[in-house]
Amino acid sequence: MELTHWARDHVPAATALAVAFAALSAVSLAGATGWLVLAALEVGAASTLATLLPLFALGTVLGVPLTVAAAVVAAIGAVAHVSALAVAKRRAASTRLGQVASRVERNPLARLLGVAALVEDFDTRSPERRADDRIERLKARYVDGALSEWELEERTGIVLDEEGVPRESPSSLDDRLRGAERS
C-alpha cells in the first residue's frame, strides 16, 4: 500500500526514472550490438568497443529490470492517481445529486407527478441519510406549525417505511436533537 501511495504522489519521478533506465538500457544494447557488428566485420574499432563491453553488459543487466520496475511503478502511480480523481468526482457528483434529490423531494408537484420517486432511484445517499433528511424537513414544518404532532409522527413512520429504515433504530438526526436538548 505504501508503494501505491508513493507512486501516486510521485508519478513524474517514477516516469523520469523509467525513461533514464530505458536510456541506459538502449545505450548499453546499442554498444553491445555495435561491438558485435564490428567484430563480425573484423573492423579495427571492435577492439576499442571490446574494452567497453563489460560496461555495456552491466548497463543492460541493470538497466532492463530497473526500466521494467520503474515503468510498473509509474503505471501503478498513474492508475492510482486517476482512480483517486475518479473517486473524488464521484463523491462530489453524489453530493450534488443528493442536494438535487432533496430539492425535488420537497416539491409537492414533483411528488404528485412521481418525479420524486424517479430521483430516489438515482440518489446514492444511504436510506438512513435520505430518511434523516426527509424527517428533518418534516420537523421544520412541525416547528413552523404546518404539521401537528400526530401528523409529524405519522409521516415520520411513513418515511421510515418508504426508506426501509427500521423504526427501532433511532436516526442520527434524533441523536443530534437529543444532544441539542441536553445542552
Side-chain angles (χ1 to χ4, degrees):
M1 193 63 134
E2 289 181 30
L3 177 64
T4 303
H5 290 295
W6 184 90
R8 183 188 68 214
D9 296 339
H10 299 91
V11 172
T15 304
L17 281 174
V19 169
F21 290 137
L24 172 68
S25 299
V27 167
S28 298
L29 287 172
T33 304
W35 172 78
L36 279 172
V37 168
L38 292 176
L41 296 175
E42 297 180 5
V43 177
S47 62
T48 307
L49 281 180
T51 58
L52 298 174
L53 194 57
L55 291 175
F56 294 149
L58 182 63
T60 303
V61 168
L62 290 178
V64 172
L66 290 174
T67 300
V68 171
V72 167
V73 168
I76 288 171
V79 168
H81 186 71
V82 169
S83 176
L85 290 175
V87 166
K89 284 184 179 183
R90 195 171 343 136
R91 283 185 185 149
S94 174
T95 301
R96 284 191 301 272
L97 184 59
Q99 292 168 346
V100 169
S102 178
R103 287 188 191 115
V104 170
E105 287 172 351
R106 280 184 265 164
N107 187 326
L109 181 61
R111 284 195 305 264
L112 181 67
L113 296 174
V115 175
L118 289 173
V119 170
E120 288 175 5
D121 293 339
F122 295 106
D123 192 356
T124 59
R125 296 175 295 168
S126 70
E128 291 81 11
R129 182 67 190 149
R130 283 195 309 264
D132 280 348
D133 290 346
R134 291 175 65 188
I135 292 169
E136 185 177 329
R137 289 191 299 274
L138 288 174
K139 288 181 180 181
R141 290 180 62 201
Y142 170 71
V143 168
D144 292 340
L147 294 177
S148 68
E149 185 176 345
W150 179 84
E151 287 176 310
L152 174 66
E153 290 177 6
E154 283 296 312
R155 290 184 181 188
T156 299
I158 291 169
V159 166
L160 293 174
D161 289 342
E162 286 178 352
E163 296 295 343
V165 177
R167 291 183 188 214
E168 302 86 45
S169 66
S171 68
S172 61
L173 178 65
D174 290 337
D175 293 341
R176 289 191 306 256
L177 289 173
R178 282 192 202 101
E181 289 172 358
R182 290 181 193 136
S183 299

